[in-house]
Amino acid sequence: MKKTTVMLNGVDLERLAGNIEAIIADSSLARFQFSLSNQWVDGGYNQSAIGDFFGVGKIQSRETPFILANDEPDILLGNDNAPNPVEYVLHALAGCLTTSMVYHAAARGYEITKITTTVEGDLDLRGFLGIDPSVRKGYDNIKVSFDIDGDFTEEEKLEILNLTSFSPVLDIVSNGVPMKICLGSRQEAMTIDC
Amino acid sequence: MKKTTVMLNGVDLERLAGNIEAIIADSSLARFQFSLSNQWVDGGYNQSAIGDFFGVGKIQSRETPFILANDEPDILLGNDNAPNPVEYVLHALAGCLTTSMVYHAAARGYEITKITTTVEGDLDLRGFLGIDPSVRKGYDNIKVSFDIDGDFTEEEKLEILNLTSFSPVLDIVSNGVPMKICLGSRQEAMTIDC
């Protein structure tokens, strides 16, 4: 007999509750590691392969890796065959804010019918070009606007909007992440702990 | 007569020098705004459309927007039809570090033959799930390892590696970005400046 599932906003609430219970019982299950390998092709064009990851205590396999390309538009000396890296940041952010909102709204019983988001990031190219060291290289600000549909009061909409605060990418892009950048293959780098 | 170009690492050095000169002469040309709109589909699945952007003093049009999807793997209650948002962050980072290195190496006359990168990000799901407020939601660390090929001494390789410091995404992910998250369509949000 097929197990009945309780879905809300496309989220399986029983599995969500089960995951939370399992992680409360054994916090080591919460450790995830995502990774990729990237290959430079030419100029501003490069490709990442995103395959297996680690989570819930073991390697989670994918049969076929996802292949993603980066390129730059013509005025940034590329061929515009793919979004550029700072555009991917906005995509990651929009997606993560949305998913965080959807999952946490489901857990609270809010049925959302539609979400549309616009994201804008402002950047001064003098930073990247090294023209003015006082100008930062990345975005100097990002603005996200959400349209949320469903049978909600304005107060509930704001409560749902605030569920974006659970977003991992929001945390990354707002607060920064400690980073190591090493020379040498991954294996070499691991032995020297650069 | 076709203009001769001087290409190194796939980068047009004359156009690069021309861009830098133009921006030094008029810093307003350095202002860029990248943007996208994202549509939630179901559960952890959503799609971004990345089209026109603003740069070098005007709107830069693309005939067709890039469409990117986010999904979540099965153990995170999705269907694994696309990378997830935190994987996109690693892709943006790998690509931007590589492109920053390639462009700045070209400007310094370094001919690179191959770059392979691995990126790993560690994350504790207790943050996203709201199980423990002391656990951050995003990556707690990211490690990047570069393999760089070319006719270089070890010292030159390290110098080339350090050119990743020009990367906009490195700045974003290391240092964070001020952010506004608003309710309402972009147009409404613009009028109320949330």
Side-chain angles (χ1 to χ4, degrees):
Chain A
M1 209 174 86
K2 205 178 167 191
K3 195 165 173 285
T4 313
T5 57
V6 181
M7 303 289 285
L8 188 57
N9 303 333
V11 179
D12 185 329
L13 291 177
E14 287 176 22
R15 285 189 67 198
L16 181 58
N19 284 358
I20 292 171
E21 275 171 35
I23 286 173
I24 288 172
D26 178 0
S27 65
S28 74
L29 298 177
R31 294 304 310 173
F32 277 68
Q33 184 179 73
F34 296 100
S35 63
L36 57 76
S37 67
N38 181 282
Q39 190 75 48
W40 172 55
V41 179
D42 201 24
Y45 193 84
N46 57 73
Q47 283 188 331
S48 298
I50 300 178
D52 301 349
F53 61 94
F54 181 89
V56 198
K58 62 175 184 174
I59 291 172
Q60 305 284 340
S61 298
R62 283 173 169 138
E63 277 184 32
T64 313
F66 296 112
I67 305 295
L68 298 175
N70 282 295
D71 200 357
E72 294 292 343
D74 178 68
I75 60 162
L76 297 173
L77 312 184
N79 297 308
D80 206 29
N81 285 319
N84 77 2
V86 291
E87 291 177 315
Y88 275 107
V89 169
L90 302 185
H91 170 65
L93 179 63
C96 195
L97 292 170
T98 298
T99 299
S100 301
M101 184 190 288
V102 164
Y103 279 40
H104 282 275
R108 284 157 183 76
Y110 288 122
E111 185 174 8
I112 300 173
T113 54
K114 192 175 175 185
I115 304 172
T116 309
T117 323
T118 57
V119 186
E120 297 166 329
D122 293 309
L123 186 150
D124 188 320
L125 202 62
R126 288 178 296 169
F128 167 73
L129 291 173
I131 289 173
D132 183 344
S134 75
V135 173
R136 73 175 295 178
K137 291 151 182 72
Y139 288 124
D140 40 61
N141 70 81
I142 293 176
K143 179 159 181 191
V144 185
S145 304
F146 272 101
D147 250 344
I148 304 167
D149 286 355
D151 187 16
F152 308 125
T153 64
E154 278 303 299
E155 203 173 313
E156 286 171 333
K157 271 197 190 177
L158 280 172
E159 193 191 326
I160 292 168
L161 183 75
N162 283 334
L163 298 175
T164 57
S165 62
F166 288 102
S167 162
V169 177
L170 176 64
D171 176 28
I172 292 166
V173 174
S174 295
N175 301 319
V177 177
M179 207 171 308
K180 280 186 181 176
I181 302 181
C182 310
L183 196 58
S185 69
R186 179 165 54 168
Q187 209 154 13
E188 287 168 19
M190 281 172 73
T191 58
I192 60 170
D193 195 20
C194 77
Chain B
M1 208 175 86
K2 204 177 165 188
K3 195 163 174 281
T4 313
T5 57
V6 180
M7 303 287 285
L8 188 56
N9 302 333
V11 179
D12 185 328
L13 291 176
E14 288 177 21
R15 284 190 68 198
L16 181 58
N19 284 358
I20 292 171
E21 275 171 36
I23 286 173
I24 288 172
D26 177 1
S27 65
S28 74
L29 298 177
R31 294 303 311 172
F32 276 66
Q33 184 179 72
F34 296 99
S35 64
L36 58 75
S37 65
N38 182 281
Q39 191 74 48
W40 173 54
V41 179
D42 201 24
Y45 193 85
N46 58 72
Q47 283 189 329
S48 298
I50 301 178
D52 301 349
F53 61 94
F54 181 89
V56 198
K58 61 175 184 175
I59 292 172
Q60 305 284 338
S61 299
R62 284 171 168 141
E63 277 183 33
T64 314
F66 296 111
I67 305 294
L68 298 175
N70 283 294
D71 200 357
E72 294 291 343
D74 178 68
I75 59 163
L76 297 173
L77 312 184
N79 295 309
D80 207 28
N81 285 319
N84 77 3
V86 292
E87 292 178 313
Y88 275 106
V89 169
L90 302 184
H91 170 65
L93 179 63
C96 195
L97 292 170
T98 298
T99 299
S100 300
M101 184 190 287
V102 164
Y103 278 41
H104 281 274
R108 286 158 181 75
Y110 288 123
E111 186 175 8
I112 300 172
T113 54
K114 192 177 174 182
I115 304 171
T116 309
T117 322
T118 58
V119 186
E120 298 166 330
D122 293 310
L123 186 150
D124 188 320
L125 202 63
R126 288 178 296 170
F128 167 73
L129 291 173
I131 290 173
D132 183 345
S134 74
V135 173
R136 73 175 295 178
K137 291 151 181 72
Y139 289 125
D140 41 61
N141 71 81
I142 293 176
K143 180 160 182 190
V144 185
S145 303
F146 273 102
D147 251 344
I148 305 167
D149 286 356
D151 187 16
F152 307 125
T153 64
E154 278 304 299
E155 203 173 313
E156 287 170 331
K157 271 196 191 178
L158 280 172
E159 193 191 326
I160 291 169
L161 183 75
N162 283 333
L163 298 175
T164 57
S165 62
F166 288 101
S167 161
V169 178
L170 176 64
D171 176 27
I172 293 165
V173 175
S174 295
N175 301 319
V177 177
M179 207 171 309
K180 278 186 183 175
I181 301 181
C182 310
L183 197 58
S185 69
R186 178 166 54 169
Q187 209 154 12
E188 288 167 19
M190 281 171 72
T191 59
I192 61 169
D193 194 22
C194 77

